[in-house]
Amino acid sequence: MPRHSASSSASLVQRRQQFRMERRFAICKTSVRVIYSALDRHVDDWQSYINLARSVMSSIDEQFFMAMTNKTEEQIWIVNGLQKLAYYRPDEIGLRDIADWAIRQWLIICEREPSNVDALQDRSGLAGMGNNWLFRAQPSIAAIERDEESTSSLKDADEPASGSASPVPSSVDGEEDEADETTEPEADGMAAKRASVFAQGRLCSRHYVEARGLLLPATEFYEKAVDVASSEDSDNGPSGGLLALAAEAFMSLGNVSFDDAARRYFSHALEYLQLAQEVQGYELPAHLKEYVHRFLSPVSTLVDRMNIDLQNLQMA
């Protein structure tokens, strides 16, 4: 009798603990639902939801919710919601503590379920490891774009306006300078060579190095997600959205890489875009449609095209 009573008491305590845990988990989901709603409405006071997100993080860590193997779908949904808040302003560094927490949770899910496409990058709007690294690269990419715009503006300012008078040649003691014997094709070749040297040197600058370091793991996780979704164990294959995101990650990496590596990355991106076009019911975004229309060709000629002019493969 006493043994039966002790067993019943332990069972009751366990049920109460389970009930409290489920209730806290429900509160966390309600909080994250509020965050999703605010971000979808593009509210101006999005920063007011940061403390709510941190409260959710604390509850999840304290209650070991991520150890619950029967709630993977809900875990992915929660982590993605907080990650969206962390990178709500994509051109900025982001909320590092929330972003780092999110990537730790993705790793937990990936280690527990290595074939989980949702944790790598999902087929229905959830985001994972690939997005986290892609988000992290955005401030560096934005800085590169600002630098390039600044360089272009300075170059335009240095060039004489159309129709303006040519500079007067300098002379010494009344003697005219010797005529420049450089032909126009030679001058163009020298200018192109100088531009190439400048571009290669720029790839060694801080923002380019940072962008490559962040985009490389993004492409690796996206590639793994595509491979998992393409495996025999997958029912439907990779989604068009997943393929398009993978392509954009490879295109971004190509834009900040040296020529030989860039060709490989652009080629990989175009292969993914071609596959995305074949997904029934999926339509590529407008800028990717234009990219495919201009450059997608049989694989045998694709690399030749990229050898001719890498600059034409810059993402819109």
Side-chain angles (χ1 to χ4, degrees):
M1 185 70 176
R3 183 179 300 174
H4 176 72
S5 177
S7 176
S8 299
S9 177
S11 178
L12 179 61
V13 169
Q14 187 176 10
R15 286 198 300 271
R16 285 177 177 173
Q17 289 177 341
Q18 182 67 24
F19 175 76
R20 285 196 294 268
M21 182 177 292
E22 291 286 352
R23 187 171 62 178
R24 287 197 177 189
F25 194 49
I27 292 172
C28 287
K29 290 193 292 185
T30 300
S31 299
V32 174
R33 193 171 290 111
V34 169
I35 293 173
Y36 266 113
S37 176
L39 298 183
D40 290 342
R41 289 183 285 112
H42 303 288
V43 295
D44 294 330
D45 61 338
W46 63 274
Q47 292 176 316
S48 63
Y49 296 89
I50 294 174
N51 288 336
L52 180 61
R54 288 172 175 154
S55 175
V56 171
M57 289 160 49
S58 297
S59 294
I60 287 177
D61 290 342
E62 289 171 3
Q63 300 299 317
F64 302 102
F65 287 135
M66 296 305 296
M68 300 169 69
T69 59
N70 62 331
K71 295 189 179 294
T72 299
E73 185 175 340
E74 294 165 293
Q75 291 164 353
I76 291 172
W77 180 80
I78 287 174
V79 176
N80 180 61
L82 300 191
Q83 180 169 277
K84 286 183 67 175
L85 178 66
Y87 292 109
Y88 185 65
R89 295 286 176 84
D91 291 348
E92 299 177 5
I93 294 176
L95 304 170
R96 184 53 57 87
D97 62 324
I98 300 178
D100 289 346
W101 178 87
I103 207 166
R104 288 196 298 272
Q105 311 318 308
W106 293 129
L107 286 170
I108 289 173
I109 297 173
C110 288
E111 289 176 2
R112 187 178 71 211
E113 302 177 37
S115 297
N116 191 306
V117 177
D118 288 347
L120 296 166
Q121 170 51 50
D122 96 306
R123 63 180 67 249
S124 58
L126 303 171
M129 292 290 287
N131 267 354
N132 194 295
W133 286 104
L134 192 58
F135 285 147
R136 287 171 183 256
Q138 295 311 305
S140 298
I141 293 174
I144 290 170
E145 291 174 352
R146 288 193 297 269
D147 290 345
E148 290 181 348
E149 288 175 1
S150 176
T151 302
S152 177
S153 298
L154 290 173
K155 181 180 178 182
D156 291 342
D158 289 340
E159 292 178 353
S162 176
S164 62
S166 300
V168 178
S170 61
S171 61
V172 179
D173 296 332
E175 296 181 1
E176 294 184 356
D177 292 340
E178 294 183 2
D180 186 358
E181 297 180 356
T182 304
T183 64
E184 186 174 342
E186 289 175 339
D188 290 344
M190 292 171 62
K193 186 175 181 180
R194 285 195 298 270
S196 177
V197 170
F198 175 76
Q200 294 298 304
R202 190 170 53 185
L203 290 171
C204 298
S205 64
R206 170 193 163 193
H207 294 306
Y208 279 85
V209 173
E210 286 179 350
R212 286 198 297 274
L214 295 168
L215 287 167
L216 186 59
T219 58
E220 289 175 345
F221 279 112
Y222 281 131
E223 187 172 21
K224 182 177 180 182
V226 172
D227 290 344
V228 170
S230 303
S231 67
E232 294 180 358
D233 297 332
S234 177
D235 295 331
N236 302 313
S239 67
L242 170 58
L243 291 165
L245 279 168
E248 294 212 53
F250 274 102
M251 291 162 70
S252 295
L253 183 55
N255 286 336
V256 297
S257 298
F258 292 92
D259 287 356
D260 289 343
R263 292 187 184 96
R264 294 196 304 272
Y265 298 141
F266 286 129
S267 179
H268 215 145
L270 286 168
E271 290 173 8
Y272 281 149
L273 291 176
Q274 189 175 30
L275 290 173
Q277 283 192 312
E278 297 172 359
V279 175
Q280 187 174 3
Y282 177 76
E283 187 172 348
L284 285 172
H287 70 285
L288 293 179
K289 276 185 179 180
E290 181 182 356
Y291 186 93
V292 171
H293 177 71
R294 292 171 61 195
F295 301 111
L296 195 57
S297 63
V299 175
S300 59
T301 63
L302 190 57
V303 174
D304 293 335
R305 281 196 178 193
M306 288 185 285
N307 282 332
I308 293 173
D309 189 3
L310 272 174
Q311 295 302 317
N312 285 339
L313 290 172
Q314 299 298 310
M315 182 173 61

